[in-house]
Amino acid sequence: KMLEELDPHSIYMSSEEIKQANEPLEGNFEGVGIQFQIIRDTINVVDVISGGPSEAVGIRAGDKIVAIDNENATGKIVNNNYVLKKLRGAKGTVVVLGIARQGTPEIIEFSVTRDKIPIYSIDAAYMVTPEIGYIKINRFAAKTMSEFSDAIKELRQENFKSLILDLRDNSGGYLQTSVELADQFLPKNQLIVYTEGRTDKRSDYFATRSEER
């Protein structure tokens, strides 16, 4: 009833939903370390995160998860929320996955100990020509600027003269992070962005960097 009195963009989110929404911005989550896609009611492993617990036990891209903790994990019950609820969990807890693998007739069981899984906001950083560097950023997260700094250091070793900053499909994120990133490119005192609310005064964000870069 309270939400009905607000604008149409206001929704209620439980504490668990807030946690899941913030995980990509905070830089990590606790789980088994895979990227998955649901195809025909079956959980398909699209990629295994390097250094994660699933890679450690031998799970591969292309595997199909057909059982979780000895219970069937296929059919109409399977959706994104189901998978996240079953595979994510506290660091140190164990989940048993039944895997169907092409070329192997029987189901393979893997015991995976959940761990902290890093989420990176920079997808790629490399030289596209001898003088032009390229960095693709998928979100403005808590650790984006440290990742960006590391990427720039690597490109400087290649003596880049110009930079392509790819923000296509960027899902957004923290305002302060996006301001700090813009500050790397704009001249001192240039207005980057401002915020203003119905009851909040306008707040301006200006570029602060002036040194050679």
Side-chain angles (χ1 to χ4, degrees):
K1 188 64 180 178
M2 292 172 60
L3 292 176
E4 288 178 359
E5 304 300 322
L6 301 176
D7 62 80
H9 306 292
S10 298
I11 61 172
Y12 171 78
M13 297 180 71
S14 67
S15 59
E16 185 62 30
E17 289 170 330
I18 288 288
K19 181 181 178 181
Q20 291 180 6
N22 285 338
E23 280 174 348
L25 301 179
E26 292 172 349
N28 61 70
F29 65 93
E30 295 180 351
V32 299
I34 65 167
Q35 294 180 1
F36 69 90
Q37 185 176 12
I38 299 172
I39 302 175
R40 299 189 183 91
D41 299 332
T42 301
I43 308 165
N44 290 257
V45 179
V46 176
D47 196 12
V48 180
I49 296 174
S50 178
S54 288
E55 182 189 60
V57 299
I59 294 176
R60 309 171 187 169
D63 286 346
K64 301 180 187 299
I65 300 175
V66 296
I68 301 175
D69 287 333
N70 299 314
E71 294 182 357
N72 177 52
T74 62
K76 293 182 178 180
I77 62 170
V78 177
N79 54 37
N80 283 343
N81 288 334
Y82 170 87
V83 179
L84 295 177
K85 183 178 179 181
K86 290 289 188 179
L87 298 189
R88 292 192 180 183
K91 177 181 177 179
T93 58
V94 177
V95 59
V96 179
L97 303 181
I99 297 293
R101 178 173 292 170
Q102 188 173 7
T104 303
E106 64 275 0
I107 302 300
I108 314 170
E109 282 197 352
F110 292 94
S111 293
V112 185
T113 303
R114 297 181 179 95
D115 202 350
K116 276 195 175 295
I117 310 299
I119 302 175
Y120 297 106
S121 51
I122 291 184
D123 290 333
Y126 55 87
M127 298 294 291
V128 294
T129 75
E131 293 188 347
I132 302 175
Y134 172 89
I135 297 177
K136 179 170 176 55
I137 301 178
N138 60 51
R139 60 175 63 86
F140 299 123
K143 297 181 180 179
T144 297
M145 290 311 299
S146 62
E147 292 180 45
F148 178 79
S149 178
D150 291 341
I152 288 292
K153 288 178 182 177
E154 292 182 7
L155 294 180
R156 278 184 177 148
Q157 293 178 356
E158 302 289 335
N159 298 315
F160 81 101
K161 300 292 190 301
S162 302
L163 178 69
I164 298 172
L165 185 66
D166 190 350
L167 299 178
R168 290 175 298 176
D169 299 320
N170 185 296
S171 58
Y174 293 135
L175 173 64
Q176 187 58 42
T177 301
S178 63
V179 169
E180 290 176 9
L181 183 64
D183 199 9
Q184 304 294 309
F185 300 94
L186 300 177
K188 187 176 181 179
N189 296 326
Q190 179 169 334
L191 179 65
I192 297 175
V193 69
Y194 71 87
T195 60
E196 186 174 11
R198 185 175 58 186
T199 59
D200 295 327
K201 294 182 179 179
R202 171 168 166 158
S203 296
D204 294 328
Y205 297 83
F206 294 95
T208 60
R209 293 171 57 89
S210 58
E211 68 269 21
E212 187 73 20
R213 56 189 187 272

